[in-house]
Amino acid sequence: MINKMIDIERRILIKKSLSATTIAMVVASGLLLPQRVLAHWPTKAFNAETVEDVLLALLGKANISSSKKLNFSVGKPAKHIVNGSSVSVEINSELENIERFVILVDNNPFPLVMSMDFSPDVLLPLKTRIKLIKGKSQVIAVVRAGGKLYMTKREVRVDTGGDI
Amino acid sequence: MIIKAEDRIRATLRADNTHIRLLLAHPMHSGRQLNKDNMLDNAEFIQDIRCWRNDNEVLVIKCGSGTSQNPYFSFELADGQVGDTIAIRWVDNTGAKGDMKAIVDS
C-alpha cells in the first residue's frame, strides 16, 4: 500500500517536473516575451548608429531649427566630465505644448539615449542621468513642441567612459 | 547582477505643482562591456517607464542602454493636490517588471 502511494507520488512529481522544464525551455527560447511592450519600443531608432538615422526613424523628415529657447545643461561642472558613467542632464525651456523630448550623444555606439513622450501636464525642468563615451562628444537635445522641432547641442569632454 | 537597493519615488507639492523624483534600481547593462572575468554580461536595460497620476498617463519614457545605471528622473506635473497617487511601472528588455506608487505629500 505504502509502496503504491509512493509510486503514484513519484509519477506526479515526474509529470510536474517535466512540464516545469518545458515551460522553462519555452520561456528561454523567447516565445513568451512580452510582444506588446517590445513592439512599442522603437527598435529601429534605438539601434541606429548615426544621429541622422535616429532622427529620421524617430521624428521623420522635418526641418530642425537650432534654438536658444532650450536651456540645456550637461554635467557638473559642465564641459569637462571626469566620470562618464553617470552624467546629469537638465533641460529647461519656455516653449509650450512640448510633445516629445529626445536626448542623443553623437559619439556613443548607439546615439539615442532616451525619448520621452509628454502629456500636457508635464512641466520642465526635467533632470536625468546618462552615460557618455570617453573623449569628446556632442550631447544633443531635440524637442518637438507645437508641431515644430527645436534642437540644441553641448560639447563635452569625458575622462573615463561609461559602459555603453 | 543583483542590486539590493529598491526603487524609490518621492512626490511633493511645490508651489502648487507636483514635483516627482524617481530613482530606479537597475544595472542597465548594455551587453557590450567586459566584466571582471573578461566575459560579456547579458544586455539588461530598462526600455519603457510609464508614469500615471490618478489613472491618467502623464509621461512615457523610452530608454536605451545609454541611460545611466540606476536611472534617475526628476520632473514636475502641473497643479495637483496632496493625496494624489503617482504610479510608476517599468519593463526591461528581458521582460522583468517593476511598479510602485506614491502619495503626494506637502
Side-chain angles (χ1 to χ4, degrees):
Chain A
M1 183 69 190
I2 292 173
N3 275 344
K4 208 176 181 182
M5 286 282 285
I6 289 175
D7 198 38
I8 290 170
E9 276 181 14
R10 202 178 61 193
R11 281 167 195 215
I12 291 172
L13 188 72
I14 289 170
K15 266 189 188 171
K16 277 187 181 167
S17 62
L18 255 182
S19 56
T21 46
T22 40
I23 289 172
M25 277 163 69
V26 170
V27 168
S29 68
L31 285 172
L32 290 179
L33 282 175
Q35 291 294 335
R36 198 181 60 81
V37 172
L38 289 181
H40 279 261
W41 195 64
T43 313
K44 203 176 164 188
F46 276 104
N47 289 340
E49 290 178 10
T50 63
V51 173
E52 290 78 19
D53 287 350
V54 172
L55 294 179
L56 201 64
L58 207 62
L59 302 162
K61 280 189 179 175
N63 292 325
I64 299 178
S65 53
S66 282
S67 176
K68 288 176 182 170
K69 288 180 181 171
L70 303 179
N71 191 351
F72 184 47
S73 70
V74 179
K76 288 173 190 171
K79 290 192 178 178
H80 189 213
I81 292 156
V82 176
N83 186 357
S85 65
S86 182
V87 180
S88 62
V89 168
E90 183 174 354
I91 182 113
N92 203 351
S93 172
E94 291 182 356
L95 290 168
E96 289 183 348
N97 301 323
I98 293 178
E99 296 148 13
R100 179 168 278 184
F101 166 48
V102 179
I103 304 177
L104 305 122
V105 182
D106 66 349
N107 282 344
N108 279 6
F110 297 100
L112 182 55
V113 174
M114 63 178 84
S115 154
M116 305 186 190
D117 290 329
F118 287 9
S119 73
D121 283 352
V122 180
L123 300 177
L124 298 173
L126 189 144
K127 288 181 203 166
T128 184
R129 291 178 195 151
I130 62 173
K131 292 179 200 163
L132 291 172
I133 202 162
K134 190 179 176 181
K136 268 190 184 179
S137 48
Q138 301 257 359
V139 184
I140 304 165
V142 182
V143 167
R144 188 168 74 195
K148 285 183 180 173
L149 295 176
Y150 301 88
M151 177 158 85
T152 184
K153 294 179 183 177
R154 294 286 179 274
E155 189 174 276
V156 290
R157 207 173 80 229
V158 179
D159 284 350
T160 320
D163 61 334
I164 300 165
Chain B
M1 189 171 136
I2 299 162
I3 290 186
K4 284 176 185 164
E6 287 181 359
D7 296 345
R8 288 180 206 171
I9 181 171
R10 181 69 58 82
T12 51
L13 210 61
R14 270 192 207 171
D16 294 338
N17 292 329
T18 311
H19 185 89
I20 297 174
R21 280 173 294 161
L22 185 63
L23 184 66
L24 305 177
H26 202 281
M28 300 297 280
H29 286 310
S30 62
R32 291 185 288 279
Q33 196 71 10
L34 296 175
N35 62 16
K36 284 174 192 163
D37 309 323
N38 242 6
M39 301 281 279
L40 286 173
D41 284 328
N42 285 336
E44 185 184 6
F45 55 93
I46 293 178
Q47 289 186 323
D48 190 299
I49 305 166
R50 277 153 200 262
C51 176
W52 281 267
R53 175 168 71 179
N54 297 338
D55 301 329
N56 295 323
E57 192 170 85
V58 286
L59 183 64
V60 180
I61 305 170
K62 308 282 181 188
C63 291
S65 56
T67 309
S68 76
Q69 189 187 63
N70 297 340
Y72 169 80
F73 299 94
S74 138
F75 55 94
E76 288 192 3
L77 298 177
D79 304 328
Q81 50 196 348
V82 173
D84 284 348
T85 45
I86 307 290
I88 300 285
R89 281 182 199 168
W90 59 259
V91 179
D92 74 8
N93 65 330
T94 61
K97 292 172 189 176
D99 58 52
M100 56 181 163
K101 276 183 184 171
I103 308 288
V104 177
D105 53 24
S106 52

